[in-house]
Amino acid sequence: MSKCQQNNRTSLVVTHHQEPTTRVSDGSYKLLASCRRKIIETMRCGGKMSRHQKTSKSVKSLVAKNPKMEEVKISVSECKSDTIKGFKRLHESSPELKEVVKKLQSGGQGALQGAKEVRELAKEDSEARTSFALLGAISPLVVMLDSKDLDSQIAALYALLNLGIGNDRNKAAIVEAGVVHKMLDLIQSPSEGSPDQNLSAAIVANFLGLSALDSNKLIIGSSGAILFLIKCLIKTNNSLVIQDSLRALYNLSILPSNVSPMVETDEFVPFLLSKIGDMEVSDRILSILSNIVSTPEGRKAISTVKDAFVILVDVLNWVDLPDCQEKATYILMVMAHKSYVDRQAMIEAGIMSSLLELTLLGSTLAQKRSSRILDILRNNKGKQSVGANVSAPLCGSTDTEPVDSSSRFPNNSAVKHLVEQSLQSNMRRIVKRANIPNEFVPLEHSKSSVASFFTSKSLPL
């Protein structure tokens, strides 16, 4: 291949850039395409700067005649800047990186060694990640997953994982190269026994990294990867794999269409609820449930689990973990707002005393959410006390009918007594947390303010 042909081939690689987001007319777009071609020609063998100068002059003259063409000028300059940056980055890449890519393309043991070197060089060097992608390292690494050698598969997976760290373009390019289905084929391929644990861990880590990009969520979610991640979560004892699986499932659950395949797996939601209480995973599990509860099928899956509300109400008492309290109150608030049956189940689980305490001791966000739940539940009680002929609201309805505050709590004195007991047991904790001497805290004043809180007709949203 001649030097001119090599340069032409290189220009095809480095001129790939992100399309300008500015909307232009058809005539402006043609001018932009023409300018782009002329810029590319200046980089090919035999190109002269005079061509670029003529292009710049022609653009300037058009802009002078038509001020609306300024957006074209900006787009052309961005195109030129991206092209030149890619060109410089490719040719300024160290010989070491180029030699590594040659090893990847050679196959066999050379490719294995090249994958290991990519993993190490890209681990903490963002410039190396970009350069490896421009030099064409992604494609041979994905091809290595077709190898029958386990070491080559694992080395390629971790090399791809490091190439995607903090680089959205590389993450998109890796998925476009077909890595998702190749990883699933490695797990689902007929072989003796279960998949290798190290291979599974590498695949889970890659799904975690790739699922962080929004454009990849739908591709991964519709591929069958969710079932694989759930199986890894439930069956493994490796704490790192458990954490990676939970984080990957959280990333995927952000997209509502991915919630359905999650809750369709019968053991998934019950498993999540059963693990609440394990401090290493509770916060992440509550984050996933916060996304699941946003869909009707997700709420149904949670409410049908035995003791689901007892478990969630218990989280409201975790005073040392305000993040968990905030997420639990969000889940309960959404479910209370949507379902009369769920409201009744919450009351039976003893949510009232926990909410009352949380409105006094919780974080600002937890106080607002618990107050909102109290308001929903009090309206619910008010409707029940109106009369026997009033039917219960349908599941999914919103309670907005005004009810007198005296009918919301049939036994206000008992509620006040409960609050006073809670204050007695928790006021010292508040004082200790704030490092305030006890003599400066008037308890009777706190009791009166709480009593006035429960006689008001409205609660903060």
Side-chain angles (χ1 to χ4, degrees):
M1 184 182 294
S2 66
K3 183 177 181 181
C4 178
Q5 291 174 331
Q6 290 176 349
N7 290 338
N8 288 341
R9 185 176 182 183
T10 302
S11 67
L12 295 177
V13 176
V14 302
T15 55
H16 175 74
H17 61 277
Q18 186 175 5
E19 292 294 335
T21 58
T22 307
R23 297 181 67 88
V24 297
S25 62
D26 293 340
S28 301
Y29 184 80
K30 291 179 180 178
L31 175 60
L32 174 60
S34 175
C35 293
R36 185 190 306 165
R37 286 196 299 270
K38 291 183 179 181
I39 293 171
I40 294 172
E41 287 175 0
T42 62
M43 297 181 182
R44 295 179 177 175
C45 61
K48 299 179 180 180
M49 289 304 295
S50 59
R51 294 184 180 180
H52 170 63
Q53 292 171 356
K54 291 179 181 179
T55 302
S56 299
K57 289 180 180 180
S58 63
V59 173
K60 289 179 180 179
S61 63
L62 285 172
V63 171
K65 294 178 182 179
N66 187 359
K68 293 183 178 180
M69 296 293 290
E70 182 67 24
E71 60 186 12
V72 179
K73 179 182 177 182
I74 295 173
S75 298
V76 170
S77 63
E78 290 176 351
C79 170
K80 172 190 171 185
S81 176
D82 289 345
T83 303
I84 292 176
K85 285 181 181 178
F87 184 80
K88 287 183 177 180
R89 188 174 291 160
L90 182 60
H91 285 276
E92 290 177 358
S93 298
S94 68
E96 181 185 7
L97 301 185
K98 295 178 181 179
E99 188 62 31
V100 171
V101 175
K102 287 182 180 179
K103 291 180 182 179
L104 288 176
Q105 297 170 344
S106 66
Q109 291 298 316
L112 174 59
Q113 182 60 32
K116 292 180 178 179
E117 292 178 12
V118 170
R119 176 184 180 180
E120 292 300 321
L121 293 171
K123 187 175 182 179
E124 298 179 354
D125 190 345
S126 60
E127 290 295 327
R129 296 169 202 146
T130 303
S131 298
F132 272 129
L134 290 172
L135 291 168
I138 291 177
S139 180
L141 285 171
V142 174
V143 171
M144 285 180 65
L145 299 182
D146 295 327
S147 171
K148 301 299 182 183
D149 181 57
L150 180 62
D151 292 336
S152 297
Q153 295 170 354
I154 295 175
L157 286 169
Y158 281 113
L160 290 168
L161 175 66
N162 287 353
L163 286 177
I165 296 175
N167 193 313
D168 289 346
R169 288 190 177 184
N170 283 2
K171 289 176 183 176
I174 291 170
V175 171
E176 289 174 2
V179 74
V180 173
H181 293 287
K182 286 185 179 292
M183 289 192 297
L184 292 176
D185 288 341
L186 291 177
I187 298 300
Q188 298 170 356
S189 59
S191 58
E192 63 281 358
S194 59
D196 181 80
Q197 293 184 356
N198 294 328
L199 180 65
S200 297
I203 292 175
V204 170
N206 269 273
F207 277 131
L208 169 59
L210 297 174
S211 63
L213 184 63
D214 288 341
S215 60
N216 289 342
K217 287 180 171 59
L218 179 60
I219 299 173
I220 297 174
S222 59
S223 68
I226 290 176
L227 181 59
F228 163 70
L229 291 170
I230 292 174
K231 287 182 177 179
C232 286
L233 173 64
I234 295 176
K235 295 182 179 180
T236 187
N237 293 322
N238 187 319
S239 60
L240 180 60
V241 174
I242 291 174
Q243 291 289 346
D244 286 351
S245 300
L246 285 172
R247 292 166 65 190
L249 288 167
Y250 168 74
N251 288 343
L252 295 173
S253 67
I254 294 174
L255 190 66
S257 61
N258 286 336
V259 173
S260 294
M262 290 183 184
V263 299
E264 287 172 0
T265 306
D266 295 335
E267 52 190 349
F268 179 55
V269 174
F271 176 82
L272 292 181
L273 289 167
S274 68
K275 290 299 180 180
I276 293 179
D278 184 349
M279 295 300 106
E280 293 184 0
V281 297
S282 292
D283 184 71
R284 189 69 60 185
I285 288 175
L286 290 168
S287 297
I288 296 173
L289 292 175
S290 297
N291 290 333
I292 289 177
V293 79
S294 64
T295 65
E297 57 268 28
R299 292 191 292 273
K300 182 179 179 181
I302 294 173
S303 62
T304 54
V305 176
K306 183 180 180 181
D307 295 333
F309 292 108
V310 174
I311 294 170
L312 292 171
V313 168
D314 182 60
V315 179
L316 303 184
N317 301 317
W318 296 359
V319 293
D320 294 331
L321 296 172
D323 288 344
C324 291
Q325 288 181 322
E326 292 170 0
K327 291 168 185 175
T329 52
Y330 175 78
I331 297 167
L332 292 166
M333 180 179 68
V334 174
M335 299 191 73
H337 177 71
K338 294 292 185 179
S339 172
Y340 169 79
V341 175
D342 291 343
R343 291 195 288 270
Q344 294 300 109
M346 292 177 196
I347 295 173
E348 293 175 2
I351 194 174
M352 299 300 294
S353 59
S354 297
L355 290 175
L356 293 172
E357 186 171 342
L358 198 57
T359 56
L360 301 173
L361 306 175
S363 65
T364 302
L365 184 56
Q367 287 178 351
K368 290 181 179 179
R369 289 174 176 173
S370 58
S371 296
R372 178 57 181 154
I373 299 172
L374 276 172
D375 194 32
I376 295 171
L377 296 178
R378 287 165 66 178
N379 284 333
N380 186 53
K381 282 191 174 185
K383 285 195 172 186
Q384 283 184 309
S385 64
V386 170
N389 294 329
V390 180
S391 61
L394 295 176
C395 179
S397 65
T398 304
D399 298 327
T400 57
E401 180 182 342
V403 182
D404 187 81
S405 61
S406 61
S407 65
R408 292 175 180 172
F409 286 101
N411 194 354
N412 264 341
S413 60
V415 174
K416 291 178 182 179
H417 180 66
L418 174 63
V419 174
E420 289 178 3
Q421 283 184 332
S422 178
L423 278 174
Q424 291 284 355
S425 62
N426 292 303
M427 188 59 68
R428 292 185 181 87
R429 187 191 311 166
I430 299 173
V431 171
K432 184 179 180 181
R433 189 181 304 172
N435 294 321
I436 301 174
N438 291 331
E439 58 268 19
F440 291 106
V441 183
L443 185 58
E444 292 301 324
H445 174 72
S446 300
K447 291 180 181 180
S448 62
S449 64
V450 173
S452 64
F453 172 80
F454 288 104
T455 58
S456 64
K457 292 187 177 181
S458 62
L459 288 170
L461 294 176

